[in-house]
Amino acid sequence: MANAKKHMIDLRSDAVTLPTEEMLEAIKNAELGDDVYKEDPTVNKLEEMAAKKMGKEAALLVPSGTMANLVSVMSNTKGVTALFWRLSRTCIGMRLAVSQR
């Protein structure tokens, strides 16, 4: 069991997932730019790849799962009331952010 745990990848939260050495090397060598002005080639490529894989016109990279959930809720509930199960992660973890929009 100890060996299985050693190779387990924990994906339950973006707060506990740590980059591998290969990821850190890629980060260190990545070409940088301002993604707000579409000047970051790495972000541009990732967004283009994601949009293509999903069959969508465009994609948006956000830095955390929480932000992705918030973007999704806010863009899909404009002008309407959203209902959430009281024990859902969205309800528990993002109640304040969603209610302030």
Side-chain angles (χ1 to χ4, degrees), residues 15-84:
V16 297
T17 306
L18 297 174
T20 64
E21 287 299 319
E22 186 179 38
M23 293 168 152
L24 291 171
E25 193 64 28
I27 291 167
K28 189 172 103 179
N29 295 317
E31 201 177 331
L32 301 175
D34 191 328
D35 64 311
V36 173
Y37 296 106
K38 294 290 190 190
E39 295 171 350
D40 188 315
T42 306
V43 171
N44 293 344
K45 183 176 180 181
L46 183 59
E47 288 178 346
E48 289 167 12
M49 288 170 48
K52 186 175 182 179
K53 276 189 180 282
M54 297 292 126
K56 299 294 181 183
E57 184 179 321
L60 175 66
L61 175 67
V62 292
S64 73
T66 300
M67 187 178 287
N69 290 340
L70 187 58
V71 168
S72 177
V73 168
M74 294 179 80
S75 64
N76 286 292
T77 59
K78 191 173 182 178
V80 299
T81 299
L83 300 176
F84 299 97

